C-alpha cells in the first residue's frame, strides 16, 4: 500500500484525494492485490479525473473538495444526470454573455472619456477599446498562466477599494442635495469654515501645516477645542490619546513580528485597528458636539466616516469652526453673552421652512 501511495505521489502530485481513490481501487480489485504495473497504468489512464469523480464513466458523483474552483460549478451541474451537459452549455453561454456585456460597458466608459465626454462616441472607437481590453487580458493570461489571472483578480479588488470610500461620500452628498431640494436643509445655515477636502484642493499652507500637526497631536487639539467651547474635554482627549498611542504601538509590534517571526505577535495588527476605531469614535463625538454647539447640519454617520478616513482634516475643521460662526479664533467662550461677535445659532429646519 505504501508503494502504491508513493507512485500516486509521483504521478498525481501526492494529493490526498488521489490516495483515497487508490485505496478504494485496491480494495475493489478482484485479486485484492493488483500488480504495480496495473496500478501505474490505472493512474496514467485516469489522471484527469483521479480523486475527483466516482469514475471516468460516472461523473454524477464528485468530491468537490478535490476540484479546482473553476471546476466545482460544472461538477455540480453534471450531477443532474442527463440534464448535466445541457446545463453546462447554458452555464457557458451565461458566462460569455456576462463577460461580453461587462466588456461592452467598460469599453463604452473608456470611449466616452477618450471622446471628451461625448455621450454618443464613434462605434469604431468603442470596438477599438474592446479589442484592446481583450488583447491585454489575453496577453496577461498567455504570459503568466493561471497565476497571472489570480494576480489580476487581486489587483482589481485592491483597485476598487478606494472607490468604496469615495462612494460613502457620494451617498452623503446625494442625501444632502435631495434634502436641499426639498427644503429640509438650509444651504445658507451655519457651516464649518474649512471643508474636509480644502487642505488638499486649496493652496493654503496654513491648512497643510494644520493637517501635518494633527496627524500626531490630535488629542491635544481635541482638548483645546473642547475646552474653548466649555465642553467636557479631559475624558475625550485622554481616551483619544490612549487609543492613538495603542494603535501606533501595536502596528509597530506587527512590523517587528514580520521581521522577527520568533516573536509571537502574529495578528496583533487586528487589535491595533480596534483601537483606531475607538480613536475615530472619540473624534466623532467631539465633532458631533461642536456641530450641535453651532447648529451645523450633519449626523453621527457623517462624523464617523470623516473621523475614520481623514481625522487630521476633521481636527482642522474643529480648530477653525469659530472663524465662520462668530468667534475670533483664539477668543475664549466665557464672554460669549457679553459680546456681539458671535452670530445666533440658526435653526436650520426653521430657516428651510421660511425659505420655502
Amino acid at each position: 500500500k505504501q508503494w502504491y501511495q508513493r507512485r500516486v505521489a509521483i504521478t498525481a502530485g501526492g494529493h490526498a484525494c488521489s490516495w483515497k481513490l487508490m485505496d478504494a481501487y485496491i480494495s475493489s480489485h478482484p485479486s485484492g492485490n493488483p500488480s504495480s504495473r496495473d496500478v501505474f497504468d490505472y493512474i496514467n489512464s485516469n489522471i484527469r479525473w483521479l480523486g475527483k469523480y466516482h469514475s471516468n464513466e460516472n461523473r454524477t458523483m464528485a468530491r468537490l473538495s478535490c476540484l479546482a474552483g473553476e471546476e466545482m460549478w460544472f461538477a455540480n451541474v453534471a450531477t443532474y444526470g442527463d440534464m448535466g451537459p445541457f446545463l453546462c452549455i447554458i452555464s457557458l453561454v451565461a458566462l460569455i454573455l456576462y463577460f461580453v456585456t461587462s466588456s461592452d460597458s467598460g469599453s463604452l466608459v473608456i470611449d466616452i472619456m477618450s471622446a471628451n465626454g461625448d455621450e454618443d462616441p464613434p462605434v469604431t472607437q468603442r470596438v477599438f477599446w474592446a479589442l484592446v481590453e481583450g488583447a491585454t487580458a489575453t496577453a496577461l493570461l498567455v504570459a503568466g498562466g493561471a497565476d497571472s489571472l489570480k494576480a489580476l483578480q487581486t489587483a482589481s479588488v485592491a483597485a476598487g477599494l478606494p472607490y468604496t470610500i469615495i462612494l460613502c461620500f457620494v451617498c452623503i452628498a446625494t442625501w444632502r442635495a435631495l434634502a436641499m431640494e426639498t427644503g429640509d436643509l438650509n444651504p445658507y445655515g451655519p457651516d464649518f469654515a474649512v471643508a474636509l477636502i480644502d487642505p488638499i484642493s486649496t493652496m493654503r499652507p496654513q491648512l497643510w501645516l494644520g493637517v501635518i500637526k494633527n496627524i500626531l497631536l490630535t488629542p491635544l487639539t481635541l482638548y483645546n477645542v473642547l475646552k474653548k467651547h466649555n465642553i467636557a474635554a479631559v475624558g475625550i482627549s485622554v481616551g483619544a490619546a490612549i487609543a492613538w498611542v495603542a494603535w501606533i504601538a501595536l502596528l509597530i509590534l506587527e512590523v517587528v513580528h514580520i521581521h522577527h517571526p520568533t516573536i509571537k505577535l502574529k495578528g496583533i495588527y487586528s487589535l491595533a485597528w480596534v483601537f483606531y476605531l475607538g480613536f475615530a469614535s472619540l473624534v466623532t463625538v467631539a465633532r458631533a458636539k461642536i456641530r450641535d454647539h453651532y447648529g451645523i447640519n450633519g449626523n453621527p454617520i457623517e462624523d464617523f466616516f470623516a473621523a475614520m478616513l481623514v481625522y487630521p482634516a476633521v481636527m482642522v475643521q474643529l480648530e477653525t469652526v469659530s472663524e465662520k460662526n462668530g468667534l475670533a479664533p483664539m477668543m475664549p467662550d466665557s464672554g460669549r453673552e457679553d459680546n456681539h461677535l458671535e452670530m445666533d445659532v440658526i435653526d436650520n429646519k426653521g430657516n428651510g421652512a421660511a425659505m420655502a
Side-chain angles (χ1 to χ4, degrees):
K1 183 177 179 180
Q2 292 178 353
W3 186 91
Y4 293 144
Q5 289 180 345
R6 284 197 295 270
R7 300 298 286 181
V8 172
I10 295 171
T11 309
H15 200 290
C17 298
S18 302
W19 289 11
K20 291 177 183 178
L21 195 68
M22 290 306 302
D23 289 340
Y25 171 74
I26 294 170
S27 61
S28 63
H29 195 272
S31 66
N33 186 24
S35 66
S36 59
R37 173 55 58 184
D38 291 340
V39 175
F40 192 69
D41 291 342
Y42 176 79
I43 294 174
N44 285 334
S45 62
N46 297 285
I47 194 65
R48 293 188 62 186
W49 63 270
L50 192 62
K52 301 176 181 179
Y53 303 100
H54 182 270
S55 69
N56 195 27
E57 294 77 19
N58 180 12
R59 297 203 174 197
T60 59
M61 295 179 63
R63 184 179 285 114
L64 295 181
S65 61
C66 296
L67 298 176
E70 62 273 11
E71 295 178 322
M72 289 184 180
W73 169 254
F74 295 100
N76 265 319
V77 298
T79 60
Y80 287 92
D82 295 337
M83 288 288 291
F86 173 74
L87 293 176
C88 287
I89 294 174
I90 295 297
S91 300
L92 288 173
V93 171
L95 285 171
I96 291 172
L97 290 176
Y98 168 76
F99 282 113
V100 168
T101 53
S102 299
S103 177
D104 183 61
S105 301
S107 303
L108 176 61
V109 172
I110 297 174
D111 195 11
I112 292 174
M113 293 174 63
S114 61
N116 293 327
D118 184 3
E119 295 184 0
D120 189 20
V123 176
T124 54
Q125 185 172 287
R126 186 170 171 182
V127 172
F128 166 77
W129 285 116
L131 293 175
V132 169
E133 292 172 5
T136 303
T138 303
L140 287 172
L141 289 174
V142 171
D147 292 338
S148 66
L149 180 60
K150 293 179 181 179
L152 185 62
Q153 291 172 336
T154 303
S156 63
V157 173
L161 181 61
Y163 290 98
T164 304
I165 299 172
I166 294 173
L167 282 175
C168 293
F169 290 103
V170 169
C171 291
I172 294 172
T174 303
W175 173 81
R176 281 178 173 264
L178 294 174
M180 291 178 186
E181 184 70 20
T182 58
D184 293 333
L185 180 63
N186 178 16
Y188 304 104
D191 200 358
F192 290 106
V194 175
L196 287 174
I197 199 173
D198 280 353
I200 303 173
S201 61
T202 60
M203 300 295 294
R204 296 171 63 182
Q206 185 179 1
L207 297 183
W208 301 344
L209 293 175
V211 168
I212 295 172
K213 178 193 74 173
N214 285 299
I215 291 175
L216 302 175
L217 300 179
T218 291
L220 179 61
T221 303
L222 277 177
Y223 177 80
N224 293 333
V225 170
L226 294 177
K227 184 179 179 182
K228 185 171 70 172
H229 291 84
N230 289 333
I231 300 173
V234 176
I236 294 177
S237 57
V238 171
I242 294 173
W244 189 90
V245 171
W247 170 50
I248 297 298
L250 292 174
L251 288 179
I252 293 174
L253 289 177
E254 179 67 23
V255 174
V256 171
H257 165 72
I258 292 173
H259 291 86
H260 301 280
T262 55
I263 302 176
K264 304 299 182 181
L265 294 172
K266 184 178 181 180
I268 198 69
Y269 70 90
S270 57
L271 186 59
W273 290 108
V274 170
F275 277 103
Y276 179 76
L277 291 177
F279 166 76
S281 299
L282 291 172
V283 176
T284 299
V285 172
R287 191 174 192 264
K289 288 181 178 293
I290 296 297
R291 280 196 307 97
D292 292 339
H293 184 83
Y294 289 108
I296 298 174
N297 279 299
N299 58 70
I301 297 177
E302 293 181 21
D303 297 333
F304 179 74
F305 276 112
M308 182 176 64
L309 300 174
V310 285
Y311 75 86
V314 170
M315 299 316 302
V316 173
Q317 279 190 326
L318 300 186
E319 283 186 301
T320 59
V321 64
S322 56
E323 297 180 17
K324 188 174 181 179
N325 292 281
L327 287 175
M330 301 305 295
M331 181 175 291
D333 252 12
S334 58
R336 288 174 57 224
E337 293 81 10
D338 300 328
N339 64 67
H340 301 286
L341 291 175
E342 180 183 3
M343 298 169 60
D344 293 330
V345 175
I346 301 173
D347 182 76
N348 294 308
K349 289 190 176 180
N351 278 351
M355 290 176 64

